[in-house]
Amino acid sequence: MSAQSKTFPHPNPPPRAGEGDERAARQSPSLPPRAGEEPAPEALLIGGARRADGGGLERIEWMKIRQDFPILQRKVHGKPLVYLDSANTSQKPRQVIEAVDAFYREHNANVSRAVHQLGEEATALYEGARTRLAAFIGANHRDEIVLTSGTTMATNLVAYSYLLPRLKPGDAVLVTAMEHHADIVPWQLICKSTGAHLKVAPINEAGELIVDKFIEALTPEVKFAGVVHVSNVLGTVNPVKELARECRKRGIPLLVDGSQAAPHLPLDVKSIGCDFYCVTGHKMCGPTGTGALWARRELLEAMPPFFGGGEMIKTVSFEGTTFADSPRRFEAGTPNIAGFAGLVAAIDYLSGIGMANVAAREHELLEYATPRLQAIPGMRIFGSAPGKAAVVSFLVDGVHAHDLATLLDQEGVAVRSGHHCAHPLMQFYGVAATCRASLAFWNTEAEIDAFVDAIGRVRKLLA
Ligand code: PMP
């Protein structure tokens, strides 16, 4: 056995740089194994979950999967941790933690610079993340993936590299009223320096995008649109395919912010038909500081670099610089290599469970939680779109969101309180802040009961 195959911690060794699309593609939930070809057994068994041929499930042992997450064993204020903040950042399974650990113990080197063995291994892991991400989101090719530090970096890259050279005074960028600041502020900055302006497509009280109004707003001055796939506050799943079709008819490029979709839904950017798609690794069981921008290849190829420095060049002299091909010309400097090694493991982990199974389990948990929360006197839930993701933003009459979250924390229950980086959405509902419980596939009904009971105790305490 070679040193490499002995030491790599992943279910499968990472591909060599520039290779491996095939194998990763076969692990992708959106790309089933080819007829007559057995998927590798390691790809089928993760944490006790057994994936049957064709991506269906014989059974999933969710309690065994839960054991993959070491942090769930800990106590907070003497109580078992009930972590309901996965939309903020997901917890990490041991496979990811071990992959990051193994990177520093066994493979640590810089990428693309060294011809030595460790440099090649580090590069293979880093490039493996590109390959895995491409398969995971259904990209045509790994070179359509720019590795970034997350969605924020991805939207800023599009703002400065794609949009800035194109916007003129009087032009507009269309967003929706439920966007995260990462899909508002970069466009606002570009609008300010070009004389363009922002347009906002409205939502209704249930937290659904009013699609007709979005379409109506696609007027000739609109040169770009940004839409969140799954709202981090409301859980609303936007009809991105339809929105992309309408944008395409009018020649308007559409960016979809997939930060909250990638961890919870099977994805296929090709079938969505958008132009840009952003994901962030730390919400997908991966490390912080990892993520990606997917863009149609011809768009990426036409985009100039945004950051300059090492790694993104072909030649440099004091007279001028020539740049590497996309996507590498957007990846200046030393990236979060250990993080991307962890992201490889995270994607393998999620793919092993199967995103359709993740979505189904989270839906089941949401169905369990919703009526129990609705039964609490004074409960107000924000967002009731059909098919919403497992995110519940709420307020309890007479209790400030921060007080509620602080008292729930004393009970071991971690929920987020605040504006969730969606000020305009808070303004729409006329509130300063909400509490938000966001579920993951490894949460349990017992945890939801503990959460509901804890709200009851907090209410009594404050009565
Ligand atoms: N968009 C949405 C919908 C999000 O939920 C988040 C994270 N809260 C972001 C963008 C930004 O992601 P990151 O901070 O990882 O770049």
Side-chain angles (χ1 to χ4, degrees):
M1 189 186 273
S2 74
Q4 191 161 319
S5 61
K6 196 168 64 202
T7 54
F8 275 117
H10 310 294
N12 295 302
R16 311 288 296 176
E19 295 176 355
D21 299 38
E22 279 285 291
R23 192 188 59 225
R26 274 179 270 127
Q27 288 181 1
S28 161
S30 58
L31 298 172
R34 285 204 216 102
E37 191 182 19
E38 281 295 308
E42 304 93 320
L44 299 181
L45 282 166
I46 283 185
R50 177 161 180 79
R51 195 164 146 196
D53 280 352
L57 259 213
E58 285 170 3
R59 92 196 134 92
I60 294 254
E61 294 183 46
W62 294 109
M63 290 311 283
K64 271 198 185 160
I65 285 185
R66 187 177 164 82
Q67 286 164 18
D68 287 335
F69 293 79
I71 206 166
L72 302 179
Q73 303 305 316
R74 72 160 284 184
K75 294 198 165 167
V76 170
H77 305 302
K79 309 268 172 54
L81 169 67
V82 175
Y83 187 80
L84 302 177
D85 200 17
S86 292
N88 205 355
T89 197
S90 63
Q91 294 301 351
K92 320 302 175 203
R94 67 183 156 71
Q95 290 85 341
V96 171
I97 299 166
E98 285 166 10
V100 174
D101 183 77
F103 176 78
Y104 284 122
R105 284 181 193 281
E106 299 176 38
H107 313 293
N108 181 45
N110 212 329
V111 289
S112 310
R113 289 178 192 164
V115 293
H116 55 68
Q117 179 65 25
L118 294 187
E120 280 199 11
E121 289 174 14
T123 304
L125 282 162
Y126 179 68
E127 292 298 332
R130 196 187 312 279
T131 307
R132 293 295 205 283
L133 277 162
F136 192 69
I137 68 168
N140 270 323
H141 198 277
R142 61 195 303 284
D143 282 350
E144 296 170 346
I145 302 285
V146 182
L147 298 177
T148 68
S149 61
T151 292
T152 303
M153 171 68 192
T155 52
N156 277 277
L157 170 58
V158 175
Y160 285 90
S161 176
Y162 181 80
L163 208 50
L164 183 60
R166 287 173 173 78
L167 280 193
K168 296 184 301 303
D171 287 346
V173 173
L174 178 65
V175 294
T176 81
M178 68 174 90
E179 297 310 309
H180 185 280
H181 296 165
D183 192 32
I184 300 174
V185 182
W187 323 130
Q188 247 170 358
L189 289 168
I190 298 307
C191 284
K192 199 161 178 208
S193 55
T194 57
H197 61 279
L198 217 55
K199 273 177 94 171
V200 184
I203 61 171
N204 62 23
E205 193 62 27
E208 294 163 296
L209 178 66
I210 305 173
V211 174
D212 290 349
K213 296 273 181 203
F214 180 92
I215 296 170
E216 234 172 69
L218 291 171
T219 48
E221 85 268 20
V222 173
K223 297 297 185 303
F224 186 86
V227 172
V228 73
H229 193 166
V230 175
S231 161
N232 61 316
V233 182
L234 306 165
T236 307
V237 182
N238 279 316
V240 286
K241 217 167 166 168
E242 183 183 355
L243 304 180
R245 193 172 56 236
E246 294 300 328
C247 286
R248 211 165 47 244
K249 271 190 211 161
R250 295 161 178 82
I252 299 170
L254 175 70
L255 175 141
V256 177
D257 172 357
S259 308
Q260 301 289 349
H264 305 293
L265 305 174
L267 283 180
D268 184 12
V269 288
K270 285 190 302 296
S271 83
I272 293 173
C274 58
D275 299 280
F276 300 96
Y277 197 93
C278 311
V279 298
T280 186
H282 72 97
K283 297 185 202 286
M284 308 164 52
C285 295
T288 53
T290 62
L293 169 70
W294 168 84
R296 282 197 294 110
R297 211 159 173 188
E298 61 273 23
L299 294 179
L300 269 190
E301 277 168 9
M303 282 161 57
F306 166 35
F307 282 126
E311 300 297 334
M312 46 76 74
I313 50 90
K314 272 188 185 142
T315 61
V316 179
S317 74
F318 287 118
E319 285 67 49
T321 294
T322 57
F323 300 110
D325 293 334
S326 64
R328 284 159 202 84
R329 72 164 166 270
F330 305 110
E331 296 173 9
T334 301
N336 179 5
I337 312 164
F340 283 107
L343 189 59
V344 168
I347 292 176
D348 285 351
Y349 183 81
L350 289 173
S351 302
I353 297 171
M355 292 310 294
N357 298 313
V358 165
R361 175 62 182 150
E362 290 176 354
H363 180 71
E364 203 170 77
L365 289 168
L366 180 68
E367 296 267 283
Y368 183 86
T370 305
R372 286 163 177 79
L373 288 166
Q374 278 168 335
I376 296 172
M379 170 64 66
R380 179 180 177 196
I381 293 179
F382 299 83
S384 54
K388 67 178 264 188
V391 173
V392 186
S393 285
F394 64 96
L395 281 175
V396 177
D397 263 359
V399 189
H400 193 281
H402 290 311
D403 293 343
L404 185 51
T406 306
L407 291 167
L408 287 174
D409 178 59
Q410 294 300 312
E411 301 268 349
V413 179
V415 296
R416 184 170 175 191
S417 62
H419 52 69
H420 316 292
C421 299
H423 270 157
L425 188 55
M426 298 293 111
Q427 283 152 18
F428 171 79
Y429 283 110
V431 296
T434 68
C435 279
R436 180 187 67 189
S438 48
L439 302 165
F441 54 89
W442 44 259
N443 282 123
T444 63
E445 283 80 358
E447 286 184 307
I448 292 167
D449 290 342
F451 166 50
V452 171
D453 291 349
I455 297 178
R457 283 194 293 279
V458 169
R459 281 190 67 248
K460 276 203 194 117
L461 197 74
L462 296 175

